[in-house]
Amino acid sequence: MAETPIRFGILSCAGIARKLSRAIILSPNSTHYAVGSRSIDKAKKFAAENGFPPSAKIYGTYEDVLDDPDVDAVYVPLPTSMHLQWAVLAAEKKKHVLLEKPVALNVAEFDQIIQACEANGVQFMDGTHWVHHPRTAKMTEFLSDTHRFGELKTVHSIFSFAGDDDFLKNDIRVKPGLDGLGALGDAGWYCVGAILWAFDYELPKTVTAFCGPVLNEGGVILECGSYLQWEEGKTATFHCSFLSNLTMAITALGTTGTLQVHDFVGPYEEKSSSFTTVSQIGFTARALPSQHVVTTDLPQEASMVTEFSRLVKSIKDGSSKPEAKWGSLSRKTQLILDAVKASIDNGFELVQVEA
């Protein structure tokens, strides 16, 4: 007998929710159950355009989604400034929480969210797709190979895209009252996550923002970068921007190898992606980099939904408790964003990272 899929409710009809709506459909263990918006007409339109079944519940408030006893989990793509209120309320209503990133405006807010999830026994996960792609597991294998890669020394990460005039004036990501972290919270979340992933989630000791960030009239960051330092001379840098050409790159350098990937945030091809490696090669013994191709039946966002739904199902069945790993990884990423923002606000001073 087929397993009952995890029933998702979506809070808001934001454009970013369209991709996740498709992922819920593609995932084998999840289904659309409800959508809520402050406008019921908007919710009806969203459901019709995004493959919701005729039986789906359409609600004119977010509260109605959370009050529905048949909703197992909620996806929250609301502006960051609204995450604390609605993620905490979702947890208190015993709904498992898949929360868009950045998870909060600062780590103090996120701690309240994760505490609510823990107190109510619900699973938390943020909406970072790329870590669920099978390519990431293959890249992790290379970074962990002491012969081919050696010891990690430095990582450089970039995520940028050129927003058009409408984006730079009207998108929620450039509004101080909605997503006040701007490019740092949006694109920078991926850069910081990539760096922490390469360092096996060991936090740096210090963070120093680069001089010359670009801010809009509301004080929201449109472009910035930072330098991170660990003990024993290990370092990382990142650049994030709403003002330059689409770039989604990671370069990780080890003592005996190098890893490079050029589309880590979202593979250019949905079912096939690649990365390149070089091992134990110098100027006197050159060779072409090795390209590694990884195929998948599911897009990475559907893989994320599948894993989240698997965890929720295990909790519902009583066979496991919420997996704390995902909240821990989100918190570490948010800590670094906070440190970069503090460095910018305080004249690009060095900031100690306190776990």
Side-chain angles (χ1 to χ4, degrees):
M1 186 174 68
E3 289 188 356
T4 302
I6 297 304
R7 296 163 296 193
F8 270 85
I10 298 180
L11 303 189
S12 111
C13 302
I16 194 173
R18 294 181 180 276
K19 180 176 285 189
L20 214 286
S21 293
R22 176 174 179 258
I24 292 170
I25 293 170
L26 293 175
S27 170
N29 57 351
S30 64
T31 188
H32 283 301
Y33 186 81
V35 60
S37 172
R38 289 173 293 184
S39 162
I40 196 163
D41 289 337
K42 189 175 180 180
K44 288 177 180 178
K45 185 174 185 290
F46 183 89
E49 293 176 348
N50 288 279
F52 279 60
S55 59
K57 301 293 183 66
I58 311 297
Y59 292 119
T61 70
Y62 305 143
E63 292 95 330
D64 287 343
V65 176
L66 299 181
D67 286 336
D68 190 317
D70 293 322
V71 170
D72 298 312
V74 291
Y75 168 57
V76 184
L78 293 165
T80 309
S81 61
M82 300 172 69
H83 285 186
L84 176 61
Q85 175 187 356
W86 292 103
V88 167
L89 185 57
E92 291 173 346
K93 298 284 187 175
K94 309 296 183 182
K95 310 303 183 188
H96 303 274
V97 179
L98 181 59
L99 182 64
E100 264 308 330
K101 68 281 165 200
V103 290
L105 293 176
N106 53 61
V107 78
E109 285 193 359
F110 179 67
D111 283 346
Q112 295 179 62
I113 293 171
I114 207 66
Q115 286 164 10
C117 290
E118 291 172 352
N120 289 281
V122 299
Q123 182 65 51
F124 172 88
M125 183 182 286
D126 76 52
T128 306
H129 307 155
W130 74 274
V131 296
H132 299 273
H133 195 292
R135 173 175 64 177
T136 304
K138 291 295 184 183
M139 294 192 297
T140 301
E141 289 178 9
F142 178 73
L143 294 183
S144 302
D145 190 318
T146 56
H147 176 70
R148 292 188 297 160
F149 184 73
E151 180 183 356
L152 179 65
K153 299 297 291 182
T154 191
V155 180
H156 305 289
S157 179
I158 300 172
F159 182 25
S160 67
F161 58 90
D164 60 18
D165 288 343
D166 181 66
F167 176 94
L168 295 174
K169 291 178 181 177
N170 301 313
D171 194 271
I172 65 169
R173 286 167 283 185
V174 301
K175 300 292 186 181
L178 296 175
D179 274 303
L181 294 175
L184 175 62
D186 185 49
W189 179 274
Y190 290 94
C191 296
V192 171
I195 290 168
L196 290 174
W197 159 77
F199 276 93
D200 197 22
Y201 295 95
E202 176 189 355
L203 285 169
K205 298 301 180 184
T206 63
V207 168
T208 310
F210 294 149
C211 296
V214 179
L215 281 63
N216 67 12
E217 293 179 355
V220 175
I221 297 167
L222 302 180
E223 181 175 86
C224 71
S226 188
Y227 172 76
L228 293 71
Q229 189 164 19
W230 287 254
E231 293 179 346
E232 300 174 352
K234 297 178 181 178
T235 62
T237 65
F238 76 84
H239 174 80
C240 59
S241 177
F242 291 157
L243 303 174
S244 52
N245 190 56
L246 178 64
T247 304
M248 305 177 285
I250 305 170
T251 299
L253 285 71
T255 51
T256 59
T258 303
L259 177 145
Q260 291 183 304
V261 58
H262 298 293
D263 58 352
F264 83 97
V265 175
Y268 293 124
E269 295 184 33
E270 193 169 78
K271 294 190 175 183
S272 178
S273 62
S274 65
F275 63 97
T276 59
T277 62
V278 178
S279 296
Q280 298 181 328
I281 292 173
F283 281 107
T284 59
R286 299 188 188 186
L288 292 174
S290 299
Q291 184 175 47
H292 308 266
V293 177
V294 181
T295 58
T296 178
D297 291 332
L298 289 176
Q300 60 186 17
E301 56 270 21
S303 294
M304 177 185 70
V305 170
T306 299
E307 174 62 10
F308 178 76
S309 298
R310 182 190 69 80
L311 294 172
V312 172
K313 183 68 163 58
S314 295
I315 297 165
K316 286 187 65 179
D317 292 346
S319 57
S320 69
K321 294 181 179 180
E323 190 171 287
K325 168 182 121 174
W326 296 107
S328 174
L329 302 188
S330 301
R331 189 178 193 276
K332 288 182 176 183
T333 307
Q334 188 73 50
L335 269 173
I336 303 304
L337 296 190
D338 285 9
V340 176
K341 183 66 163 56
S343 182
I344 292 172
D345 291 345
N346 293 297
F348 315 107
E349 69 175 14
L350 181 148
V351 175
Q352 299 284 338
V353 178
E354 302 290 343

